[in-house]
Amino acid sequence: MKITMLAYPGMTPLDLMGPLQTWTFWPGAEVQVVWKHTDPIMTDTGMAVVPTHSFATSFEQPEIVFVPGGTKATFELTQDEETLDFLRTKAKTATWVTSVCTGALVIGAAGLLKGYKATTHWAAKDLLSGYGAEVTDGRYVIDRDRATGGGVTAGIDFGLAMIAEISGEEIAKVAQLAMEYSPKPPFNSGTPEEASAETKKLVLEGFAASSA
Amino acid sequence: MKITMLAYPGMTPLDLMGPLQTWTFWPGAEVQVVWKHTDPIMTDTGMAVVPTHSFATSFEQPEIVFVPGGTKATFELTQDEETLDFLRTKAKTATWVTSVCTGALVIGAAGLLKGYKATTHWAAKDLLSGYGAEVTDGRYVIDRDRATGGGVTAGIDFGLAMIAEISGEEIAKVAQLAMEYSPKPPFNSGTPEEASAETKKLVLEGFAASSA
């Protein structure tokens, strides 16, 4: 199972790390983290990560292509023809094209979500519909050969779901137990429906600031 | 709020990334990711990360010290006097000494959990009690100036709890909504009590192999 995970400067690295760590418990998964080069790339946490491969040296025909999200950097990536071409090329032979959070906007911009049910970060759903996707509620959404996760932390649920979809539930359950994934959020504020109006306002203001 | 997060070769990076990403939504948090040097360090996912500071150049007196977990690399770190001395020195003036997953074994080995209620990855609880900690159930455990999270994914819950403890629930709720932390694990297999005997056996075998 050859997997190509895109990484890029300014990304939200938990979007990537959720499925990446989950897939360390997936027997047979061969994961490459790829960008245009293999120098360290800064993330929106202030910590840099190092791609394992460049576009040029990465898998010729990965079975899974994955794109993580972010804010300003991600919106800029939706205009980056080199990256969009790379994704379109890999998508031709990939079994799955996938994303977490606003990564969906990038595969959308590549034209890879037209007519597909898909999801993204709650605050980016309107943007996603602009790419011809049928925006759908769900922690993750699987529609034929596309799988898209919600915002940031949804990458763990998405990662487990992909293992289950491809290799069966028993393997996914082992990964879940290995990562002690029995989440207990201390508050009930994880969706715009659950959060207070004031909390939602503050998040939207923060996103506007980090997207400018 | 000066925060020193340890990183080290072979660590499980989601242990670090959970709280690191969560704390990007914590106004006033200044986070350094530190190791003996600032060259890229390989993690157990196959992707390297880059420390922002070395032990020598990191905060003189951080308010929070944090240690992530892993398997073999973490057990080896419990014998590494340079690291244990660094942690003991920072702990003298820190307001909080904290960990996620088997990171608790490292702060335990530094003598920093004696007489404290603490937790760790479910498969490492026996080891933790060997360091004089009072092993306690909980997604995270806060006892006076110590805060310890359970296995891997518990870092997100831990990260939110620390924000709430120090800066109040309203700030933590904003972080939770920004990260869309409304987890929906696809299976009920996140704890040894919930998982099947066969799943538990497979995880324990995997840990034994990755710890050797």
Side-chain angles (χ1 to χ4, degrees):
Chain A
M1 179 64 53
K2 293 183 169 60
I3 303 175
T4 293
M5 303 183 84
L6 189 74
Y8 53 93
M11 70 173 178
T12 296
L14 185 53
D15 292 7
L16 173 83
M17 191 59 77
L20 177 62
Q21 191 78 60
T22 304
W23 294 343
T24 64
F25 300 101
W26 192 357
E30 296 174 77
V31 180
Q32 296 184 340
V33 178
V34 312
W35 179 232
K36 295 175 184 178
H37 55 70
T38 57
D39 296 330
I41 53 179
M42 184 49 66
T43 72
D44 73 3
T45 64
M47 184 178 77
V49 301
V50 189
T52 64
H53 294 76
S54 68
F55 286 179
T57 63
S58 70
F59 291 129
E60 186 81 20
Q61 298 193 339
E63 276 118 314
I64 301 177
V65 175
F66 168 83
V67 180
T71 51
K72 186 181 181 188
T74 310
F75 302 132
E76 288 175 357
L77 203 65
T78 63
Q79 310 284 332
D80 183 81
E81 282 301 322
E82 183 181 353
T83 300
L84 300 183
D85 278 346
F86 175 79
L87 295 172
R88 285 184 200 112
T89 302
K90 299 305 168 191
K92 280 180 195 160
T93 52
T95 313
W96 293 91
V97 176
T98 70
S99 63
V100 161
C101 197
T102 53
L105 303 180
V106 181
I107 57 175
L112 300 169
L113 285 179
K114 277 178 195 153
Y116 281 94
K117 291 190 174 84
T119 195
T120 184
H121 190 287
W122 62 266
K125 284 184 171 177
D126 286 350
L127 292 171
L128 183 60
S129 62
Y131 293 113
E134 186 185 329
V135 178
T136 304
D137 286 337
R139 188 69 178 159
Y140 51 85
V141 171
I142 297 178
D143 181 12
R144 291 160 285 163
D145 50 356
R146 299 292 184 262
T148 49
V152 193
T153 56
I156 301 170
D157 306 276
F158 157 83
L160 290 169
M162 289 299 293
I163 297 178
E165 188 78 19
I166 294 169
S167 298
E169 292 193 2
E170 294 310 315
I171 308 281
K173 287 176 178 172
V174 170
Q176 185 180 355
L177 181 59
M179 297 199 301
E180 204 168 331
Y181 191 45
S182 173
K184 294 191 176 51
F187 310 106
N188 193 22
S189 181
T191 65
E193 293 75 25
E194 293 167 315
S196 73
E198 177 63 15
T199 298
K200 188 176 168 187
K201 179 171 163 280
L202 288 169
V203 172
L204 290 173
E205 285 172 1
F207 276 17
S210 62
S211 301
Chain B
M1 179 64 54
K2 292 182 170 60
I3 304 175
T4 293
M5 303 184 84
L6 190 74
Y8 53 92
M11 71 172 177
T12 296
L14 185 53
D15 293 8
L16 173 82
M17 192 58 78
L20 177 62
Q21 191 78 59
T22 303
W23 294 345
T24 64
F25 300 100
W26 193 356
E30 296 174 77
V31 179
Q32 296 184 341
V33 178
V34 312
W35 179 232
K36 296 174 184 179
H37 55 69
T38 57
D39 295 331
I41 52 179
M42 185 47 68
T43 72
D44 73 2
T45 63
M47 184 181 75
V49 301
V50 189
T52 63
H53 294 76
S54 68
F55 285 180
T57 62
S58 70
F59 290 130
E60 185 80 21
Q61 297 193 341
E63 277 119 314
I64 301 178
V65 176
F66 169 82
V67 180
T71 51
K72 185 181 182 188
T74 311
F75 302 133
E76 288 175 356
L77 202 66
T78 64
Q79 310 284 328
D80 182 80
E81 282 302 322
E82 183 182 354
T83 300
L84 300 182
D85 278 347
F86 175 78
L87 295 172
R88 285 184 200 110
T89 301
K90 298 305 170 193
K92 280 180 193 160
T93 51
T95 313
W96 293 92
V97 177
T98 70
S99 63
V100 161
C101 198
T102 52
L105 303 180
V106 181
I107 57 175
L112 299 170
L113 285 179
K114 279 180 192 150
Y116 281 92
K117 291 190 173 83
T119 196
T120 185
H121 190 286
W122 61 266
K125 284 186 169 177
D126 285 351
L127 292 171
L128 184 60
S129 62
Y131 293 113
E134 186 185 329
V135 178
T136 305
D137 286 336
R139 188 71 177 159
Y140 51 85
V141 171
I142 296 178
D143 182 11
R144 290 160 287 163
D145 51 355
R146 300 292 184 262
T148 49
V152 194
T153 55
I156 301 169
D157 305 276
F158 156 84
L160 290 170
M162 290 299 291
I163 297 178
E165 188 77 21
I166 294 169
S167 298
E169 292 192 4
E170 293 311 315
I171 308 282
K173 287 176 179 172
V174 170
Q176 185 180 355
L177 180 59
M179 297 197 303
E180 205 167 332
Y181 190 45
S182 174
K184 295 192 175 50
F187 311 106
N188 193 22
S189 182
T191 64
E193 294 75 24
E194 294 166 313
S196 73
E198 177 64 15
T199 297
K200 188 176 168 186
K201 178 170 164 282
L202 289 169
V203 172
L204 290 172
E205 286 172 0
F207 276 16
S210 63
S211 302

